[in-house]
Amino acid sequence: MTQFLSRPLARAGLDWTGFALILLLAAFPAQAWVLSITPGIRTVYLAVGNATSNAANATVNQVSTTLLASEVGSGVAKAMSSNSTQVNSPYDNFNLCSGGGSQVYVGGFFRMPAASATSAVLQVQTPAGLTSGIYSIPFNQVSWTSTALGNAAADIPAGSFVSGGTLFLRNFAANSYVENCHTFSYANASPVAAGTYTGQALYTLTAP
């Protein structure tokens, strides 16, 4: 069941001297919060990382981590940091995410002229792996937790990327705005060759 909330008034690469894993996060234009918004012109809006309110933003943010040779393949997960600076909601400038590169904003809305049973679908598509030359790391080695300041519910759920596939995240009801902050980590489950491993995750919000 979707619960609509209101704001309070106050509002990857690896090398044996250093292993860096770099993941690019892109949105395809088209504590968690689910907010009701005013009906209007049919609009689908999605932001991942740095955002511009109700407009396209060409920035493709990264999350990355670096491992020492002694850490590679230890099975101890490594936190990933981001170059995203988006900590406030593009909707109303409410502070949602922690700063310092620890979280990535994910949010958007689906607007219709009137009440409707139609929903928009949020998904993320990833290739089989993050690659460095002939070597690769399965994309499902990267996962995230989901929360936001002021509301701890994960309305855009935590999970792991699919290796070579598309992951359904949630439906957006008509005239709703949904947003979260994601904290990424690398599982570091197996030894890998030295290199800088990169890959891109493509988030889409689509409506029929």
Side-chain angles (χ1 to χ4, degrees), residues 4 49 66 78 146 160 204:
F4 293 95
T66 300
K78 289 284 292 184
S146 182
S160 300
T204 59

Side-chain angles (χ1 to χ4, degrees), residues 106-131:
V106 181
F109 67 85
F110 175 42
R111 192 189 304 275
M112 292 284 283
S116 172
T118 303
S119 296
V121 179
L122 177 63
Q123 301 180 111
V124 58
Q125 182 179 9
T126 43
L130 299 106
T131 59

Side-chain angles (χ1 to χ4, degrees), residues 8-104:
L9 293 179
R11 261 259 304 205
L14 300 175
D15 66 46
W16 296 119
T17 57
F19 165 48
L21 182 68
I22 301 172
L23 169 63
L24 307 177
L25 304 173
F28 186 79
Q31 352 203 88
W33 289 96
V34 180
L35 306 169
S36 59
I37 60 174
T38 303
I41 297 172
R42 179 186 168 95
T43 308
V44 178
Y45 169 84
L46 177 64
V48 179
N50 291 355
T52 302
S53 181
N54 297 335
N57 187 311
T59 303
V60 178
N61 289 113
Q62 299 178 0
V63 291
S64 61
T65 191
T66 300
L67 278 72
L68 300 175
S70 59
E71 297 176 308
V72 175
S74 68
V76 177
K78 289 284 292 184
M80 304 180 77
S81 60
S82 175
N83 65 350
S84 172
T85 57
Q86 191 75 35
V87 295
N88 292 346
S89 169
Y91 173 61
D92 59 3
N93 209 38
F94 185 80
N95 182 211
L96 285 171
C97 303
S98 299
S102 62
Q103 293 188 313
V104 176

Side-chain angles (χ1 to χ4, degrees), residues 84-182:
S84 172
T85 57
Q86 191 75 35
V87 295
N88 292 346
S89 169
Y91 173 61
D92 59 3
N93 209 38
F94 185 80
N95 182 211
L96 285 171
C97 303
S98 299
S102 62
Q103 293 188 313
V104 176
Y105 173 88
V106 181
F109 67 85
F110 175 42
R111 192 189 304 275
M112 292 284 283
S116 172
T118 303
S119 296
V121 179
L122 177 63
Q123 301 180 111
V124 58
Q125 182 179 9
T126 43
L130 299 106
T131 59
S132 177
I134 63 172
Y135 303 107
S136 67
I137 296 171
F139 233 104
N140 63 10
Q141 290 285 292
V142 180
S143 63
W144 64 91
T145 58
S146 182
T147 187
L149 300 174
N151 187 347
D155 282 314
I156 300 175
S160 300
F161 291 116
V162 175
S163 295
T166 300
L167 177 66
F168 168 81
L169 294 174
R170 71 160 289 144
N171 291 321
F172 281 42
N175 298 318
S176 68
Y177 202 117
V178 184
E179 49 191 4
N180 249 148
C181 304
H182 287 180

